[in-house]
Amino acid sequence: MPPLRQIILSTLLLTISLVPAKARDAETLSEARGKNGMVVSVSPPASEAGLAILKAGGNAVDAAIAVEFALAVTWPEAGNIGGGGFMMVHPVGGREVFCIDYRETAPGSATETMFTPKDGRHTHKIVGVPGTVKGMARAHAKFGKLEWKQLVVPAVKLAADGFVIDDALASSLNSVLESIITKEGGHHQELIRVYGKIPQKGAEKTKWKAGDRLVLPDLAKTLQRIADRGAEGFYQGETAELLVAEMQRGDGLITVEDLANYKAKARRAVHGKFRGYDVYGAPPPSSGGVCLVEMLNVLERFDLRKYDRYSTRNIHIIAETMKRVFCDRAQFLGDQDFVKTPKRLTRKNYARKLAEDIDERFATPSETLAPHVEVMSESPSTTHFSVIDGDGLAVSNTTTLEASWGARIVVKGAGFVLNNEMGDFNWYPDHTDRSGKIGTKANRIAPGKRMLSSQTPTIIAYKGHPALVTGSPGGRTIINTTLQMVLNVLEFEMDLPEAMRAARIHHQWLPDKITYETFADQITPETIAELEAKGHVLSARKKSSTQGDAHSIAIDLDTGEYHGVADWRRNGKALGY
Ligand code: DON
């Protein structure tokens, strides 16, 4: 990035950051600078937990583990011990970049046809075997420096003593409670008991507000068992028994054996090259890394920077690229332990063919790319955080319960929320229809298999040094949000705050439409009209409905300074020193 441009922008941003903090406002980003360490996450107490670990001499992986456990307390709609995710680790020197895959698995008794069109999304049956605790233990065994217990205890304390909630958490709590109380009930009583403002009677009448204190005593005990016994404190003994008992209260499949058999895996990252930078992404069972690299390989053939960021031409090319890559995703990607990932997808010569297929004048109708397949719809929530330490060890971590508050089931007596990740599998074999179902083979259910993910924790490096740590929540929009963060910084040479403020678009092949953010009117009515004339269908997001939440860190390769920026779209906090 040209230094002068950076200086002007940083000066401008210093001025901007003096404006009093207000949630969900592009003008009031949380930013931090430092050379010794940086943590950026959706939740201020979780960022604080990570920073404290860095200051206590922990490395970035130690801090990331502390953030992950803290998020299970302070951002329960997505932070979790009952879900899973992907942690990218770029070791100092960057010779081998790893992904700790802690994606959930299908239980041993799961079958390809276990779901029917009548099945809901908030059931016991939809819960995958959680991976988070073994994932953190695996990361710790491979990279950790401090004692395990020291990394979990901050979360125990947050849960036991309680913490002050912000607007974002208050509104998340209110919305899940309202929805359960008015529409669901039944299996969700424990969530109401644990997270309702006044437990049991009267919960439905009491709304959470910023400044209230949330105390989670059952979760504190569960976390204490993890602090004391490591992964065994979750996958065996009391917590495992409580989880299995919860399964038996509904139609859940997870057994003691499923928990004992779960394995987190250290996989080699997907690697690509873009504008001289190394791009490292999460491998299958996430589609994130493959899709990101495939998209960048196509886009590097179009010299986007010669045109305005929001020009009709660039939006057209980017959307056409997304469309083609998402079409490949639906056809070919699944858990790599079960289906082979076609090597060509990340190769430059394959991208050249895709690029040649893009018509600069017209939109290609999605259905002509692969007429027989369509895709399912997804909803929030997931969360992404980024960490780097003073030595340059970088961590990019995305974690999820799938939907916001997962299956909306809290394990009775254990205080944690269960995922509904089985919904990321293709539910009905061979059933592919226009309403959004996909039945292709690669991502069908099988015992022990991991469901395909879109999580795209990403590390961009230059000559072995991390340059950008990024990623996002948002279902399939994750891949496109991350793509645009990378393009904004590497292709359009924006600094991180500007990249964060840039409106995002999304195309996922089917439905055949571009959705776009409207909060700052960066994409003009003229551009929309020109895109429509090319044959695109466009769908504006409401000003309040934004795409993703890309808590990121940029590293100045000349000075070594870290610049953490929390995405404003769901609040968040950057902390560094
Ligand atoms: O792993 C996946 O791709 C999805 N379960 C992620 C869901 C999600 O990001 C919802 N977020 N806001």
Side-chain angles (χ1 to χ4, degrees):
M1 181 174 322
L4 182 63
R5 179 176 160 78
Q6 187 152 30
I7 290 162
I8 295 170
L9 282 164
S10 344
T11 319
L12 192 74
L13 285 160
L14 262 181
T15 324
I16 287 168
S17 64
L18 295 177
V19 178
K22 183 156 65 85
R24 297 185 60 80
D25 180 339
E27 295 308 308
T28 53
L29 293 169
S30 164
E31 291 182 62
R33 290 177 188 274
K35 282 191 173 176
N36 299 308
M38 184 70 57
V39 183
V40 195
S41 87
V42 68
S43 165
S47 295
E48 278 157 24
L51 186 75
I53 291 295
L54 289 178
K55 286 188 172 171
N59 66 22
V61 172
D62 292 324
I65 294 168
V67 173
E68 177 87 18
F69 284 118
L71 284 171
V73 181
T74 64
W75 190 244
E77 70 161 66
N80 65 80
I81 50 175
F86 297 87
M87 177 189 283
M88 297 289 302
V89 183
H90 187 289
V92 179
R95 270 216 305 277
E96 200 165 3
V97 180
F98 285 96
C99 176
I100 305 293
D101 161 1
Y102 57 102
R103 182 67 162 165
E104 300 90 326
T105 55
S109 59
T111 64
E112 222 177 68
T113 50
M114 64 185 274
F115 292 109
T116 70
K118 286 197 188 114
D119 278 302
R121 294 263 160 174
H122 301 136
T123 63
H124 287 74
K125 189 162 121 179
I126 201 171
V127 181
V129 182
T132 298
V133 180
K134 280 195 178 162
M136 294 307 107
R138 186 77 203 257
H140 184 253
K142 204 166 168 57
F143 301 103
K145 197 167 137 197
L146 299 185
E147 287 293 312
W148 168 260
K149 196 165 188 163
Q150 195 175 344
L151 312 179
V152 190
V153 160
V156 176
K157 283 203 161 117
L158 283 163
D161 302 345
F163 61 98
V164 175
I165 68 172
D166 60 8
D167 265 329
L169 179 52
S171 91
S172 174
L173 283 162
N174 290 335
S175 106
V176 71
L177 288 164
E178 190 183 321
S179 152
I180 284 176
I181 290 162
T182 55
K183 293 192 219 123
E184 294 183 305
H187 293 317
H188 309 286
Q189 290 309 317
E190 185 70 356
L191 197 153
I192 299 173
R193 185 183 75 79
V194 171
Y195 287 99
K197 187 162 176 187
I198 296 174
Q200 294 165 8
K201 283 179 202 145
E204 63 276 27
K205 295 202 177 76
T206 315
K207 294 247 191 249
W208 289 99
K209 56 182 186 327
D212 287 343
R213 179 172 284 269
L214 179 61
V215 188
L216 299 163
D218 288 346
L219 182 57
K221 285 188 212 131
T222 301
L223 287 165
Q224 186 67 57
R225 289 192 284 274
I226 296 168
D228 294 340
R229 297 181 51 214
E232 277 186 19
F234 182 90
Y235 292 89
Q236 293 173 25
E238 190 176 344
T239 309
E241 284 157 23
L242 289 169
L243 199 160
V244 171
E246 183 59 54
M247 288 290 109
Q248 288 163 358
R249 269 191 285 281
D251 51 0
L253 302 185
I254 299 173
T255 61
V256 172
E257 291 74 38
D258 288 324
L259 292 170
N261 290 340
Y262 181 85
K263 281 190 183 55
K265 303 202 169 178
R267 301 186 191 271
R268 189 163 293 173
V270 173
H271 176 243
K273 278 279 196 188
F274 183 74
R275 293 263 183 213
Y277 288 82
D278 291 291
V279 178
Y280 295 105
S286 183
S287 59
V290 170
C291 291
L292 178 67
V293 168
E294 189 181 339
M295 285 178 188
L296 290 170
N297 284 347
V298 175
L299 290 169
E300 76 176 356
R301 312 195 69 86
F302 289 95
D303 218 5
L304 300 174
R305 65 170 63 158
K306 280 201 349 222
Y307 300 81
D308 183 67
R309 170 69 182 84
Y310 303 106
S311 59
T312 303
R313 190 261 186 190
N314 277 352
I315 294 176
H316 172 70
I317 297 294
I318 294 170
E320 288 296 300
T321 302
M322 290 170 172
K323 186 186 289 184
R324 282 163 176 77
V325 172
F326 267 95
C327 180
D328 280 348
R329 175 191 187 275
Q331 293 180 87
F332 303 117
L333 296 182
D335 182 351
Q336 62 171 298
D337 295 338
F338 286 72
V339 288
K340 230 173 155 197
T341 309
K343 285 209 168 67
R344 71 173 183 284
L345 297 181
T346 49
R347 288 194 173 139
K348 298 277 185 195
N349 58 359
Y350 178 65
R352 179 172 50 78
K353 286 191 198 133
L354 290 188
E356 282 166 6
D357 185 56
I358 294 176
D359 187 330
E360 296 223 14
R361 296 161 307 161
F362 303 111
T364 309
S366 286
E367 277 148 69
T368 64
L369 295 174
H372 51 292
V373 195
E374 287 203 51
V375 286
M376 300 166 72
S377 65
E378 284 160 295
S379 63
S381 180
T382 300
T383 190
H384 176 82
F385 63 86
S386 300
V387 185
I388 191 164
D389 64 26
D391 294 329
L393 173 67
V395 175
S396 183
N397 190 96
T398 311
T399 187
T400 190
L401 289 165
E402 177 19 34
S404 184
W405 295 89
R408 300 181 170 186
I409 294 168
V410 167
V411 174
K412 198 164 187 178
F416 66 91
V417 182
L418 289 168
N419 69 80
N420 61 347
E421 216 74 58
M422 292 287 285
D424 275 359
F425 278 117
N426 297 349
W427 273 29
Y428 324 118
D430 292 325
H431 181 98
T432 61
D433 66 27
R434 288 179 160 263
S435 78
K437 309 279 191 298
I438 178 168
T440 50
K441 242 184 155 136
N443 186 35
R444 284 191 199 153
I445 302 171
K449 188 174 176 183
R450 288 152 142 90
M451 53 297 282
L452 185 64
S453 172
S454 299
Q455 290 168 78
T456 315
T458 298
I459 299 178
I460 305 291
Y462 188 73
K463 295 194 172 154
H465 301 286
L468 177 68
V469 186
T470 191
S472 177
R476 269 165 286 171
T477 68
I478 292 175
I479 301 170
N480 291 335
T481 297
T482 309
L483 171 75
Q484 288 162 94
M485 288 302 296
V486 173
L487 287 177
N488 290 343
V489 174
L490 299 191
E491 179 71 21
F492 296 106
E493 299 186 328
M494 297 179 185
D495 76 351
L496 198 49
E498 192 185 358
M500 206 66 87
R501 291 193 175 97
R504 295 168 186 162
I505 66 162
H506 176 65
H507 197 303
Q508 58 172 43
W509 175 49
L510 287 168
D512 190 355
K513 66 174 181 191
I514 302 173
T515 52
Y516 63 101
E517 289 185 318
T518 55
F519 60 87
D521 301 320
Q522 289 156 323
I523 301 169
T524 64
E526 294 71 39
T527 304
I528 303 299
E530 285 168 14
L531 286 164
E532 283 170 348
K534 283 181 181 293
H536 290 285
V537 174
L538 285 110
S539 165
R541 284 176 174 272
K542 288 194 193 111
K543 282 214 180 341
S544 59
S545 159
T546 49
Q547 178 179 321
D549 194 37
H551 305 299
S552 305
I553 301 170
I555 298 95
D556 186 318
L557 292 169
D558 297 327
T559 65
E561 191 181 53
Y562 306 148
H563 188 180
V565 180
D567 200 332
W568 57 277
R569 289 167 177 80
R570 289 189 199 165
N571 217 3
K573 189 84 186 160
L575 288 173
Y577 73 116

